[in-house]
Amino acid sequence: MRTKTGYAAAILGLALTIAIGAGGCGKKDNKYSFRNAGIEALNQGNYDAAVEAFDQAISSSKGLVGKFDVDVLKYRAEAQYLAGDYSSAADTYDILIKVDGELPEYLNLRSVSRAGSGDLKGSIEDYKRSTQLDTEKKAPGRLNALLAAGEAMEKEGSASDAMNLYEEAVKEGEQSAQLYNRMGLCRMAEKDWDGAAEYFKNGLSLPDSSLVPELLFNQAVAEEHKGEFKTALDLMQQYVSVHGPDEEADREITFLKTR
């Protein structure tokens, strides 16, 4: 049975020339209109139009580093990420780090973007650097960066390193159904079915468990490998009842009824 995995000074001027191309300067009075148009497009899910509007807002600015430019760059990075342009999003966070400082928030968000673009080493490095700077472990995007870095480690064949990363986060107070799901999957990769089932169970007890439907499915898989077929059947039937029809789950239910 398979498991489910479910998850802008001078520097600014130079960076923006690279990032958005050489563009003419619009009227500075228009920059707020462009930003507002970008936010509206972003909220509507029109991410390409949002990026274009944010680029126009930056081109219409005075060309000096200020709160406006940083604000627009944050929006642009979000739009790029949501559009699936992870490499461009990471480039925008590069600019933000150069002009606004090495903030844990930016490192977390770049970590996720780098993971999406396939830069697994960069994703891990950003998360680790963020944790060094974020002494209170409360910077925005920390959990997503943790999961991105951990999954990057898993993809590189370092599941044990990923597990160490996850366990350290739990010790520091991180509680997330997604995190426990990843921990359970790491244990399953080592054929530690008891440990896996316990992590999935812990994840299911958290308030955000409904956002991770794979937990029920994966716990059923772990219970089956333990030989607890009735428990596995009950869990798989509960999974279908809660999350709707699932061809793979239906096949497993049919199988488990014969055990």
Side-chain angles (χ1 to χ4, degrees):
M1 184 188 293
R2 294 186 295 112
T3 57
K4 298 193 176 187
T5 58
Y7 252 156
I11 295 176
L12 175 63
L14 175 60
L16 292 179
T17 298
I18 296 172
I20 67 177
C25 294
K27 294 180 180 180
K28 62 183 181 182
D29 294 338
N30 289 336
K31 66 180 184 179
Y32 295 103
S33 297
F34 285 131
R35 182 185 63 179
N36 292 340
I39 294 172
E40 183 177 357
L42 178 61
N43 290 336
Q44 293 176 349
N46 194 345
Y47 305 126
D48 291 335
V51 172
E52 183 178 353
F54 294 137
D55 286 348
Q56 290 174 308
I58 294 170
S59 295
S60 301
S61 189
K62 293 179 180 180
L64 300 175
V65 177
K67 291 183 179 180
F68 176 86
D69 306 282
V70 170
D71 180 60
V72 173
L73 285 166
K74 290 178 183 179
Y75 280 119
R76 189 179 76 177
E78 180 182 356
Q80 289 168 326
Y81 182 85
L82 292 173
D85 190 352
Y86 305 122
S87 180
S88 293
D91 289 343
T92 299
Y93 287 119
D94 288 342
I95 298 170
L96 282 164
I97 289 170
K98 289 174 182 176
V99 303
D100 200 35
E102 194 180 34
L103 304 181
E105 173 185 353
Y106 298 154
L107 290 164
N108 286 337
L109 295 168
R110 191 174 65 177
S111 174
V112 177
S113 300
R114 282 179 161 177
S117 70
D119 181 5
L120 305 184
K121 182 179 179 181
S123 175
I124 296 167
E125 289 175 349
D126 277 349
Y127 175 73
K128 290 183 174 181
R129 178 57 177 161
S130 174
T131 59
Q132 292 175 349
L133 298 173
D134 182 20
T135 56
E136 295 185 1
K137 312 304 179 187
K138 294 181 180 180
R142 180 173 184 264
L143 175 60
N144 288 338
L146 165 65
L147 295 171
E151 289 191 53
M153 289 178 174
E154 293 178 50
K155 289 177 180 178
E156 289 189 328
S158 301
S160 60
D161 291 336
M163 195 65 182
N164 290 336
L165 205 67
Y166 299 147
E167 289 175 335
E168 184 64 26
V170 170
K171 290 178 182 178
E172 294 171 347
E174 192 71 65
Q175 292 289 302
S176 161
Q178 289 177 288
L179 176 56
Y180 279 115
N181 187 53
R182 295 308 317 174
M183 296 175 81
L185 290 171
C186 284
R187 283 289 178 253
M188 289 188 75
E190 298 176 355
K191 302 187 184 303
D192 178 2
W193 312 119
D194 289 319
E198 189 65 22
Y199 279 121
F200 295 138
K201 182 178 179 180
N202 289 342
L204 286 166
S205 71
L206 297 178
D208 63 338
S209 62
S210 62
L211 303 177
V212 192
E214 307 87 56
L215 275 166
L216 267 174
F217 188 100
N218 291 340
Q219 188 181 9
V221 173
E223 295 294 344
E224 179 187 335
H225 281 289
K226 289 169 57 181
E228 300 291 342
F229 300 117
K230 184 179 185 306
T231 299
L233 176 59
D234 290 344
L235 288 167
M236 199 63 76
Q237 290 175 324
Q238 184 181 350
Y239 170 81
V240 172
S241 175
V242 173
H243 301 293
D246 184 299
E247 184 177 346
E248 188 175 359
D250 288 341
R251 285 198 302 269
E252 295 303 332
I253 289 172
T254 299
F255 167 75
L256 289 166
K257 284 182 176 178
T258 67
R259 306 299 292 178

